[in-house]
Amino acid sequence: MSTATIARPRASRAAEEVERHEAAAPTATRHAVRLEAIGTSPDGVVEEVGGLYDGRGWAAHSTGRPFSYRYTAVGDDAVTLRRSRITGAIRGAIPHTDDYIVQWLTEGVGVPDVRHDRVPLTTGVPMLFPTDREFVFEYQDYDQRIVHLSRSLVHDVAEERYRTGPVDDLALDHLRTLDPAAVARWRGQVTLLARELRNGVGTLLWQTLTRDAAAAFLALYPPALPEIPEVVLLPRLSRLRAAVEFVHEHVHEPLTVGDIARAADLSVRSVQETFQRHLDCSPMTYLLRVRLARVRIELLRADPGTTTVQDVARRWGFAHLGRFSGTYAQAYGEYPRQTLRR
């Protein structure tokens, strides 16, 4: 669910307020979001909260005490702070979403992904939802804090701080071991956001804090993508940067030297000479390296029980498995099957 397009729950107990206001940039607007859903019916939470997440197969029931739920959200279409409390049990599937969603429990028990990861939450410890795919959660008698961050905001900050370039996927590892200092920074940033909400989301400070929150989120879950080489950031190499960013953005597509040259407004010969002079490789070799890095990321994240090296290699354009394995081993000091079995 994107916070920019929250749908009104169908039951009358839920109240939602969406207001337009001017953002810090004169040409940009954000939508303020305020949402509350309260009830005592298992069917009500499935209809109201499940509807907000485009949920599938949601079910809730009592655990011996009177069933109740309350779900609140406040913020704007870049960042919303949310809270979900249920006395009872709930389970359901959440499909792929455009938001990055960090959540943690202050009480109760929960497993965010019972189908694949099956890693239970530790009270007070954040965990990123695997929103790049559908997942099935189970929670019981819990109080949960949730922060939604828009993909556009996070990717903008990632490009600025990690030189990822304009990409669709940052390849974040939602199960990575979190750095305690990064967790403390994240908590501090959420506290600052909560305080500023008293002044509304139309302030310059709020928008500054939302970018800081995205930076704190990326400290928790750094992008696994190969960085754009630092040398291409020099102002005099703007055309090389355009070529490199084009490669990173379109790495999953069939590319030729001519495609890369046109993206940089250079001739084929000029783009070849520029890559060789500043990156010590040809444009197609650079493309190969970026694709190898994406293969490695996918192998590290994949389930060896359901994934094969051949499938991943073919997906990234490598047809000859033996030649690919040798190139991969030369680049990373291990064979791809070893990476997959980690």
Side-chain angles (χ1 to χ4, degrees):
M1 176 189 62
S2 169
T3 57
T5 56
I6 289 180
R8 180 180 297 276
R10 286 164 289 186
S12 61
R13 289 185 299 273
E16 178 183 353
E17 176 186 356
V18 180
E19 300 170 347
R20 299 181 66 89
H21 62 78
E22 293 299 319
T27 59
T29 59
R30 286 188 181 181
H31 293 77
V33 173
R34 299 185 67 87
L35 171 69
E36 184 175 54
I38 305 174
T40 58
S41 163
D43 290 341
V45 73
V46 169
E47 183 178 15
E48 295 184 346
V49 181
L52 294 175
Y53 285 91
D54 295 327
R56 186 174 60 82
W58 280 40
H61 61 84
S62 171
T63 55
R65 293 183 289 169
F67 187 92
S68 66
Y69 66 91
R70 182 174 184 178
Y71 184 95
T72 59
V74 62
D76 65 11
D77 52 6
V79 176
T80 51
L81 305 186
R82 306 183 179 210
R83 186 175 182 180
S84 178
R85 288 177 284 174
I86 291 182
T87 301
I90 189 167
R91 174 188 170 110
I94 295 178
H96 165 83
T97 73
D98 285 335
D99 283 355
Y100 293 107
I101 306 174
V102 182
Q103 45 88 48
W104 61 98
L105 294 181
T106 57
E107 61 181 70
V109 294
V111 179
D113 185 4
V114 298
R115 183 182 294 166
H116 296 286
D117 302 326
R118 298 179 290 278
V119 177
L121 289 167
T122 300
T123 302
V125 178
M127 184 184 288
L128 177 65
F129 273 146
T131 54
D132 58 328
R133 56 173 169 79
E134 182 178 87
F135 60 96
V136 177
F137 68 88
E138 279 186 356
Y139 290 87
Q140 182 173 317
D141 296 322
Y142 69 92
D143 191 343
Q144 178 190 39
R145 309 304 168 96
I146 313 165
V147 180
H148 282 236
L149 301 102
S150 73
R151 182 172 294 261
S152 60
L153 171 66
V154 172
H155 285 211
D156 184 45
V157 174
E159 181 173 3
E160 174 187 302
R161 295 180 178 245
Y162 292 89
R163 305 194 303 273
T164 58
V167 295
D168 293 328
D169 180 16
L170 294 177
L172 307 182
D173 179 6
H174 71 285
L175 294 180
R176 76 186 305 271
T177 300
L178 301 180
D179 177 11
V183 173
R185 176 183 174 185
W186 168 255
R187 293 190 185 285
Q189 199 59 47
V190 171
T191 298
L192 291 174
L193 284 169
R195 290 174 180 169
E196 183 56 22
L197 277 173
R198 301 167 189 169
N199 300 316
V201 295
T203 67
L204 176 60
L205 179 55
W206 168 259
Q207 295 190 39
T208 300
L209 291 174
T210 57
R211 291 190 66 84
D212 291 344
F217 166 74
L218 290 167
L220 281 176
Y221 297 98
L225 297 177
E227 291 186 357
I228 291 176
E230 190 170 357
V231 65
V232 309
L233 304 179
L234 296 173
R236 62 185 176 83
L237 297 179
S238 59
R239 291 191 177 183
L240 175 59
R241 176 170 182 169
V244 167
E245 288 184 343
F246 178 81
V247 169
H248 281 256
E249 186 174 5
H250 299 274
V251 65
H252 58 289
E253 302 172 10
L255 294 180
T256 66
V257 177
D259 295 330
I260 299 170
R262 282 190 291 276
D265 197 23
L266 292 170
S267 68
V268 169
R269 180 175 179 179
S270 293
V271 80
Q272 288 173 328
E273 291 176 348
T274 301
F275 267 77
Q276 198 65 51
R277 184 181 310 117
H278 298 287
L279 299 178
D280 197 29
C281 66
S282 70
M284 298 311 288
T285 298
Y286 184 81
L287 173 62
L288 173 68
R289 292 175 183 173
V290 176
R291 285 180 175 161
L292 277 176
R294 296 305 294 265
V295 167
R296 182 170 178 80
I297 290 167
E298 191 165 334
L299 290 175
L300 286 169
R301 300 169 72 191
D303 179 354
T306 59
T307 303
T308 68
V309 170
Q310 184 175 17
D311 287 343
V312 176
R314 289 182 64 84
R315 192 153 45 245
W316 287 101
F318 298 96
H320 192 285
L321 189 60
R323 191 178 304 136
F324 158 75
S325 295
T327 303
Y328 184 97
Q330 187 175 18
Y332 296 109
E334 64 180 14
Y335 288 101
R337 64 177 180 275
Q338 295 172 295
T339 303
L340 178 61
R341 292 172 184 168
R342 282 190 182 187

